[in-house]
Each structure stands twice: as C-alpha cells, then as structure tokens.
Amino acid sequence: MSQNPSSPTSAPPTPPSAPAGSTSEDRSARVAVTVFPVLILAAAALGFFVPATGQAISGYTNLFLGIIMFAMGLTLTIPDFTLVLKRPLPVLIGVLAQYVVMPLVGFAIAWVLQLPPELAAGVILVGCAPGGTSSNVINYLSKADTALSVTMTSISTLIAPILTPVLTLWLAGAFMPLDAGEMALSIVKMVLIPVIAGLVIRLVLSRLVDRILPALPWVSVAGISLVVIAVVSGSADQIVSAGALVLLAVVLHNGFGYLLGYWFARVLRQPIRTSRTTSIEVGMQNSGLAATLAAQYFSPAAALPGAVFSIWHNLSGAVLAMYYRRTAQHQDADPRDRRAPAGSR
C-alpha cells in the first residue's frame, strides 16, 4: 500500500529497509500510534458520560464500518497481493495463525475467567475477526516486514466473510445463539464490497486517490471513534459492573496473541523478522468490525470487548514496536533473515 504512514489502515510508503534519513515517515507513524488511541479513548469517554450522543448514532455503525473499509480499499494496490505468489509460506502461516491462535485464545480466556455469556461471546468474536489494519503501522515502526503485514491483513480481511461467522458459531455458539449466515452476509456488505470498491477506484483513479491519501487515516479513525461512541453508550452499566474484568480479558487476549503469534512462526522455522511481523499481525484485531457485529448479532454488552480492544491494542502495539525496534539488530544474527530476498525486505 502506498499511503501516508500515519494511516491505521495501511503501511507507510517508505519500505522498512529505507535509509535512516526517512525521519518524516517515522515521525508521522509515531503520531499515529499516539494520537489515534487518545482520540479513541476520548470517544469512549464521550460515549460513557454523554450516552445520548452514542444512542443517536447507534443505528449507523454499519455505515461507519463500511466507510472505514472503503478507506482501506483505497490504499490497496495490486502488488499488495502479488506477495502471496512470491512468498506463499509466510503469508499462509500468518493468516493461519490469525484464525487459529486468536479464536482459541479468546475461547480459553472466556472459560478461565468464567465470563458472563454476553462478554464471553464478545471476546471470542474479537478473536475470530480478521487482522487489525493498524498492524501495518506497528510493523513499520518495529522494523519488521511491512509488505508482508499488508498482505496478511488484506488476505485475512478478504476471507473474513467465511471464517469469522463459522469460527464464531463454533466457539461462541455455546454462549449465545448466532445466525452465522446473516453474519456472513453482513461482513460481505460491510467489509468485502467496500474494500473491493476502494481497490477498483484506486486502480481507475489512481492520481486522484493519491492526492487524498493523507486524509484517509483521519477518515478511518473518525469512523472507529464513532463506532466506539455508539458501543460504549449502550454498555455504560456493563462498564461499571464488569469494566475491570473486560480489560483483563482484552489485555490477556492481546498479549497471548503477540506471544503465540511469534512462536507459531518460529516453530515453523520462519526468520525472526517474519515472526515478529506475524506476532503483530496476530495480536492486533479488527476490533471495530468485532464490536459492530457483536452489537448487531449478540447485544450491546457483547460489543464492549471490541471497543476496549480498539483502545488497548494500539497502546500495547506502540510499546511492542519500541521493543522490537530497539532489538532489531538481533534479526541480522538470524541467517534466514540474511537469506531473505531483497524485495521481501
């Protein structure tokens, strides 16, 4: 994706192997991972303390998510998908880890913490969602493989209409009833069609889209903020009674996603750099989608884990990026990283 690095929906235009002089991209990306969580946290506070605001827009969350995904589609280019052919194994490992690790971890956390059915279903649905688009920025800051991250996010998003409903029905169906077919249709409408429409428009009107790319990050974060306002305003009572429990579940879910995502790739003999990319991609979820689906197919309370995840995974991702960046020299000690094709770096 060739987009401003502050975007929560795509990778920066400068590849991870760019010279150290590309400080403007670094600075812009750092703004992304600090300002965006603050704005989303402010949205959550507004929804909690002024619930009438969120209730007024609660009927438009599907529209907001569609706009977010359309903005993501505008940032995509054909080369973002050709990596599947050039490096199929790491892409397959990343997408497989995404849809194996996070759903099972979500189910395990719901069982261990003995979460109420609504919250359990919400946590599991977060785990069954595709990768979070802000993972591309975190990978860039981490000096991981940004191109691979973009491809993993794109592929996991495109197959979400199939895997997200099936996995949610399988794992969350024991807690709350679910119409998986209707959920699949909703994901097609809210995710697949907007993303493809954005991609087509980018191909047809590339020069025009290039001019508006810097504004797309703010379109996306505005959409996510509106979703959070709507979700939190409908869950104020649950936040008071179970807010700490939800936060604990989200922290554990996100943390185990990072850890198990990394070791999933390492066990399959992937280099450190690729494993770090997988770690970030697995740990960061499309929680805006999860919150929207939970509110629509379960209850407002079930959407709470997705709203909290939207805030937390950006904060934890920024911290993880600092650690990975400081220890990036260890990648050079891995011969598999040195053997990686130049175009994949």
Side-chain angles (χ1 to χ4, degrees):
M1 301 179 192
S2 53
Q3 170 178 339
N4 185 294
S6 65
S7 169
T9 60
S10 77
T14 303
S17 56
S22 56
T23 56
S24 61
E25 287 82 2
D26 270 343
R27 188 159 49 245
S28 183
R30 290 180 190 280
V31 169
V33 295
T34 54
V35 173
F36 289 162
V38 171
L39 292 177
I40 295 172
L41 186 60
L46 179 62
F48 182 78
F49 292 107
V50 191
T53 304
Q55 292 164 9
I57 62 174
S58 60
Y60 300 97
T61 53
N62 290 8
L63 175 62
F64 300 148
L65 185 65
I67 292 172
I68 295 167
M69 302 315 297
F70 177 70
M72 174 186 174
L74 287 175
T75 69
L76 293 172
T77 61
I78 295 300
D80 294 328
F81 298 95
T82 58
L83 199 63
V84 177
L85 301 176
K86 295 177 181 177
R87 299 172 61 197
L89 183 57
V91 174
L92 176 63
I93 288 173
V95 174
L96 183 62
Q98 175 69 55
Y99 283 113
V100 171
V101 171
M102 291 304 276
L104 293 179
V105 169
F107 179 83
I109 288 172
W111 180 74
V112 170
L113 296 182
Q114 292 295 292
L115 296 177
E118 292 176 318
L119 296 181
V123 169
I124 292 170
L125 182 50
V126 170
C128 297
T133 49
S134 54
S135 63
N136 308 146
V137 173
I138 299 301
N139 268 289
Y140 172 71
L141 288 177
S142 302
K143 291 188 175 181
D145 194 330
T146 312
L148 179 61
S149 172
V150 170
T151 302
M152 287 178 179
T153 301
S154 302
I155 299 301
S156 69
T157 298
L158 292 178
I159 63 178
I162 299 174
L163 292 185
T164 296
V166 169
L167 291 171
T168 303
L169 177 63
W170 177 44
L171 296 172
F175 295 95
M176 295 190 72
L178 171 67
D179 188 332
E182 284 296 319
M183 178 181 283
L185 185 60
S186 291
I187 297 175
V188 169
K189 293 177 180 177
M190 291 187 295
V191 176
L192 196 59
I193 292 176
V195 168
I196 293 176
L199 175 60
V200 171
I201 290 176
R202 177 69 183 276
L203 291 174
V204 176
L205 302 171
S206 58
R207 291 186 179 181
L208 176 61
V209 173
D210 285 344
R211 294 177 183 175
I212 65 172
L213 282 178
L216 293 181
W218 304 104
V219 172
S220 298
V221 77
I224 294 173
S225 298
L226 290 171
V227 170
V228 169
I229 291 172
V231 169
V232 171
S233 68
S235 310
D237 293 339
Q238 289 80 9
I239 292 174
V240 172
S241 62
L245 185 62
V246 172
L247 179 60
L248 174 61
V250 165
V251 170
L252 290 174
H253 201 179
N254 175 237
F256 276 113
Y258 291 144
L259 180 65
L260 296 179
Y262 177 85
W263 284 108
F264 190 97
R266 288 299 280 170
V267 167
L268 294 175
R269 303 181 63 81
Q270 294 302 296
I272 293 175
R273 193 159 179 262
T274 300
S275 300
R276 289 182 169 189
T277 301
T278 305
S279 165
I280 296 167
E281 196 64 31
V282 172
M284 302 189 75
Q285 297 294 89
N286 190 335
S287 45
L289 173 62
T292 302
L293 292 174
Q296 182 175 348
Y297 290 99
F298 292 136
S299 71
L304 186 56
V308 175
F309 206 102
S310 294
I311 302 167
W312 175 257
H313 79 156
N314 283 293
L315 296 172
S316 66
V319 174
L320 184 63
M322 288 190 292
Y323 170 75
Y324 278 169
R325 190 179 186 87
R326 290 177 181 176
T327 59
Q329 65 270 20
H330 295 309
Q331 296 168 4
D332 298 330
D334 191 330
R336 285 168 292 182
D337 282 309
R338 290 200 295 270
R339 290 197 302 267
S344 69
R345 303 278 307 258

